Amino acid sequence: MKKSMKKDSFFQMGEINIRKMQTRTGIKGLVILLFLVSSLLVLSGCAENKAVLVGNWELVPSEGNLNDTAMTGYAFSENGSVTFYNGYDGKLTVSEGQWQIGGINKNYLELFLDDVDTPKRKIRFKVAEETLYLFSDSEEGKTTYDSRYQKTEQFSFESLIAAAKKQKAKEQQDAQLFCTLSPQEIIEQLKAMGQPIGQVVVYTDPDYATGLLKQPNLQLAQAARFEDTSIEQVENQIEPIGGSVEVYQDYAVAKQRYDYLTIFSDAAGTTYQIGNVLLRLDNALQSEKRAPYEAAFLEIVK
């Protein structure tokens, strides 16, 4: 009798353990199922948000914005690549990179761009009625947007994009060039290639180069100025009228100087950049006489 009771107890305990194992297995399975479902929902929401962002978005100017020549836009591709356009007064720049959707609620746009001051950005966003709203901070409760973009089939500055991309490709190529010639040597070669160059002034201290628009970065350069003999020179002028050559230690500094000078072309004349060298031609030089300078400059520095 006792043996029978012990045997029954043994079997009962076994059944209880089996049920516990089944319960645990069921709970684990439920947890895994819930995890998979939540993951699918997150991925679905992410994919949905990403699909909404694919396309062209152009900045809508703020009310009262006096700069109506500004051009800004994003082009988001399905493969995760993005192109950012920015510029004004007909001068457009292009930055390229990658984008993705992030954040717990999948409401953050993460950008990784080249050629911008802040290459990595994380921006809260909202899309409603074909309008993309961007918020500059992470306050979820903030409802006032900082900028808004309208979805468009074609940018209003579409005609400038090809030239801007061509300029970007040229800049990437120029960045690989480094010229070791001095400004005086470059000017001598320009003259040897037929340019009408007369007097040459080599600056040993660029701080005294008052007529060269010193800022920014001229103090970091070797610089020389030359006379173009086809231009009538002014009596008692401080510097010859014609142009100048500036040689920098690296491309980045030369590019910063170039960008500055092109903004003030009315005062600075026409500026050409190849690698770490700038050639500047005064406005007094007729436009048809600038092309031979540009061709010779390219031949010397390339």
Side-chain angles (χ1 to χ4, degrees):
M1 184 69 177
K2 290 181 179 179
K3 290 182 178 180
S4 177
M5 289 179 64
K6 287 182 178 179
K7 188 182 290 185
D8 289 343
S9 297
F10 174 78
F11 283 115
Q12 287 175 356
M13 289 296 293
E15 288 178 0
I16 291 171
N17 288 335
I18 290 172
R19 287 173 185 169
K20 286 181 178 179
M21 290 176 64
Q22 289 176 338
T23 301
R24 289 171 183 170
T25 303
I27 292 173
K28 285 182 179 179
L30 183 60
V31 170
I32 292 172
L33 179 61
L34 289 173
F35 175 76
L36 291 173
V37 170
S38 62
S39 297
L40 288 172
L41 289 173
V42 169
L43 290 173
S44 175
C46 183
E48 183 179 350
N49 280 352
K50 191 167 185 177
V52 168
L53 280 176
V54 170
N56 300 330
W57 299 88
E58 184 165 354
L59 179 68
V60 179
S62 302
E63 292 183 10
N65 190 344
L66 299 178
N67 190 359
D68 57 0
T69 63
M71 303 173 291
T72 303
Y74 290 96
F76 297 105
S77 299
E78 292 182 7
N79 63 4
S81 63
V82 59
T83 303
F84 174 61
Y85 301 102
N86 190 36
Y88 56 91
D89 292 337
K91 297 176 182 177
L92 187 67
T93 61
V94 181
S95 299
E96 296 173 325
Q98 299 295 313
W99 71 284
Q100 63 184 28
I101 302 299
I104 297 176
N105 297 318
K106 301 304 173 185
N107 61 340
Y108 279 87
L109 173 61
E110 297 179 0
L111 296 171
F112 308 88
L113 295 167
D114 64 4
D115 301 329
V116 293
D117 294 335
T118 309
K120 185 177 180 180
R121 304 177 186 177
K122 186 176 181 181
I123 312 168
R124 187 163 61 88
F125 77 94
K126 180 180 73 173
V127 176
E129 298 180 354
E130 299 291 293
T131 303
L132 170 63
Y133 298 91
L134 299 181
F135 303 83
S136 63
D137 60 16
S138 58
E139 297 176 15
E140 295 292 341
K142 182 178 178 180
T143 57
T144 305
Y145 61 85
D146 295 283
S147 58
R148 63 189 175 107
Y149 294 74
Q150 198 72 37
K151 197 164 191 177
T152 179
E153 290 295 324
Q154 191 174 54
F155 292 110
S156 63
F157 48 83
E158 195 77 27
S159 61
L160 302 176
I161 291 178
K165 288 185 175 181
K166 184 178 179 181
Q167 176 64 24
K168 180 181 175 67
K170 177 185 179 299
E171 290 173 1
Q172 290 174 335
Q173 183 179 12
D174 282 354
Q176 306 303 315
L177 298 175
F178 185 79
C179 179
T180 59
L181 296 174
S182 69
Q184 188 175 13
E185 289 172 330
I186 293 173
I187 291 172
E188 288 173 354
Q189 291 195 34
L190 286 172
K191 184 174 182 178
M193 296 175 73
Q195 307 314 309
I197 292 175
Q199 179 190 4
V200 176
V201 177
V202 178
Y203 295 103
T204 55
D205 184 352
D207 286 339
Y208 293 104
T210 55
L212 283 175
L213 285 178
K214 294 190 293 182
Q215 301 300 325
N217 296 344
L218 182 57
Q219 72 277 9
L220 303 177
Q222 301 177 61
R225 187 160 183 81
F226 60 86
E227 170 194 8
D228 184 293
T229 57
S230 68
I231 301 173
E232 183 178 354
Q233 302 294 307
V234 179
E235 188 176 356
N236 298 324
Q237 63 197 23
I238 298 175
E239 297 170 326
I241 302 174
S244 62
V245 173
E246 303 171 11
V247 179
Y248 292 84
Q249 289 300 310
D250 61 61
Y251 169 81
V253 177
K255 179 65 167 58
Q256 185 182 19
R257 170 82 165 153
Y258 171 82
D259 290 341
Y260 177 84
L261 291 173
T262 53
I263 294 174
F264 300 100
S265 58
D266 289 345
T270 303
T271 305
Y272 305 94
Q273 179 184 6
I274 300 177
N276 60 317
V277 184
L278 300 186
L279 168 66
R280 294 175 50 203
L281 300 177
D282 295 338
N283 286 326
L285 186 65
Q286 296 177 2
S287 56
E288 64 270 15
K289 294 183 178 181
R290 296 175 190 174
Y293 272 102
E294 181 184 9
F297 179 51
L298 178 62
E299 188 67 26
I300 294 167
V301 179
K302 71 176 183 179

